Amino acid sequence: MGSLLRTRLPRALSASVAAAGSIAFASYMFNSQPLLQAAEPDSHIFVINGFYMAMREKYTKPGASIHYYLVEWDPSKLSWEEFRSKVLGATDPTTASDSSLRKAIYKNWKALDLKSEPNVGDNGVHASASPFEALAERLNWLGAKLEDDPFGKAMLESGIPKDTIMKWTKDPQVSFEGKKSSLFDLLEDLDYDECLAKAQAIAGVSGKRPAGKMQAFVFLKPHAVTEAAKKLVSSHFAEVGISVYAEGALQSKTIEEEKLIDNHYYAIANKASLSKPAELNPPANKQQEFEAKFDISWKKALADGLVFNAVDGCKRLGIDGATMDKQWGEAKKAGNLVKFGGGFYAGKLPARPKEESSKGWLTALVLSLYALLGK
């Protein structure tokens, strides 16, 4: 390149080019030096709830989808606990009831065209854990309005304020009988009227409660969305007297853009993807634990740009959810995790220092040449 410039350009211009190159390179090295020095401590970063990413990507990767069913039944014919234990099945499909959907999908996964054997995480199908969770899921996944939803209207008619109901859809910790508990846990497996009555007690209201049908939100998880599996679910519901009054599909693009899976797992995802680390406020004693373990205060780690939520952490490291999950597991084994609270963890993960691209000095050279030749 140097000889070509010398033969093609006048000698004076060649000298100018050489000078411009020297100046550009020196300028680049001078200006980049502090940046490189500042990057040296950034041999690691801190990620919030990194374990969430592998699960999230199952729903948001291109081509993924869920197939949902809106179902209902008479409370006198089937309790909610029976719906979950006998119709849906245990979380671990290997121990699920033989009469359940999860066991049927597990036993027949090849015939149903699934790509791999179901397990605890990929157990085929999800269903609401209570009439209230079903309401929360319809509001989230389908964009239903509280006032138009049958159970939503029943809660309002039972005297529970709208603001309270909407806050409850995020599964907050609530005070009940002298202690704080997960709202979802308090209402889990309760039947229609029992769920309304306990919701009234938690909210501190009373009054007449309307009657109604049990309604649940059910969906085939992405790994199990096949035509054969869809038919199995529909026929299974028909056999046990559960009516499907609507069904449909949601694609990964919608799930990610509208943060549907993040709101579904809000307690975890709020910190993993919906909030930035600076918006979080770990308890003071946990911040002290963080500093003692990692030799840097939480506030300084934030100020130095070393703390990322799980989504941004993947981008910073240039990895996918599966790799993040692996690195998170390694951090756990190495004792590099701090638990700030329920569903709130910070993990120290290795990271390459941020470096300026090698094209930086070339860009400076081109700009210098342009300035010289343009005169």
Side-chain angles (χ1 to χ4, degrees), residues 190-202:
L190 300 183
D191 291 344
Y192 186 96
D193 185 66
E194 191 180 5
C195 186
L196 284 177
K198 194 163 188 177
Q200 284 180 319
I202 296 169

Side-chain angles (χ1 to χ4, degrees), residues 12-215:
L13 184 56
S14 295
S16 297
V17 169
S22 298
I23 293 170
F25 184 72
S27 174
Y28 168 77
M29 291 301 293
F30 176 79
N31 290 326
S32 66
Q33 194 66 21
L35 181 62
L36 291 173
Q37 289 177 350
E40 286 180 7
D42 191 17
S43 58
H44 62 266
I45 62 172
F46 301 100
V47 175
I48 305 300
N49 287 0
F51 61 88
Y52 174 65
M53 289 306 296
M55 178 172 62
R56 183 180 190 269
E57 280 191 357
K58 293 175 182 178
Y59 292 82
T60 60
K61 66 183 179 182
S65 67
I66 67 165
H67 190 85
Y68 67 83
Y69 304 81
L70 296 179
V71 302
E72 63 182 15
W73 68 94
D74 188 329
S76 66
K77 302 290 179 63
L78 182 72
S79 71
W80 204 281
E81 190 279 328
E82 289 173 328
F83 166 69
R84 293 185 70 211
S85 63
K86 296 181 180 179
V87 179
L88 177 66
T91 302
D92 183 350
T94 64
T95 64
S97 167
D98 288 338
S99 64
S100 70
L101 273 170
R102 284 175 175 163
K103 192 56 166 283
I105 293 172
Y106 172 74
K107 290 174 63 177
N108 302 290
W109 67 272
K110 290 182 179 178
L112 294 172
D113 298 324
L114 272 64
K115 294 181 179 179
S116 60
E117 183 179 80
N119 52 47
V120 173
D122 290 331
N123 54 15
V125 62
H126 163 84
S128 313
S130 72
F132 179 76
E133 281 193 48
L135 165 64
E137 289 171 351
R138 290 189 294 270
L139 296 181
N140 174 47
W141 289 97
L142 304 181
K145 291 184 178 180
L146 181 66
E147 297 84 351
D148 297 333
D149 185 273
F151 196 74
K153 287 193 290 186
M155 292 190 76
L156 292 170
E157 291 174 17
S158 298
I160 304 169
K162 179 178 179 179
D163 287 348
T164 298
I165 297 171
M166 296 308 295
K167 288 177 183 176
W168 283 359
T169 63
K170 303 301 183 184
D171 189 23
Q173 294 288 306
V174 295
S175 297
F176 185 66
E177 295 182 342
K179 60 181 180 180
K180 288 221 167 190
S181 304
S182 154
L183 187 281
F184 283 7
D185 287 350
L186 288 172
L187 301 180
E188 186 171 324
D189 279 342
L190 300 183
D191 291 344
Y192 186 96
D193 185 66
E194 191 180 5
C195 186
L196 284 177
K198 194 163 188 177
Q200 284 180 319
I202 296 169
V205 300
S206 60
K208 186 178 180 180
R209 298 184 299 275
K213 290 184 176 181
M214 305 267 237
Q215 294 183 321

Side-chain angles (χ1 to χ4, degrees), residues 46 290-291 295-307:
F46 301 100
F290 179 93
E291 184 171 3
D295 198 28
I296 184 173
S297 71
W298 170 254
K299 290 182 179 179
K300 180 167 174 51
L302 285 174
D304 289 351
L306 296 177
V307 189

Side-chain angles (χ1 to χ4, degrees), residues 7 14 17 39 56 100 174 232 239 257 262 280 311 344 368 370:
T7 57
S14 295
V17 169
R56 183 180 190 269
S100 70
V174 295
L232 171 68
E239 289 173 7
E257 289 180 352
D262 298 319
L280 306 176
V311 173
F344 185 10
S368 297
Y370 180 80

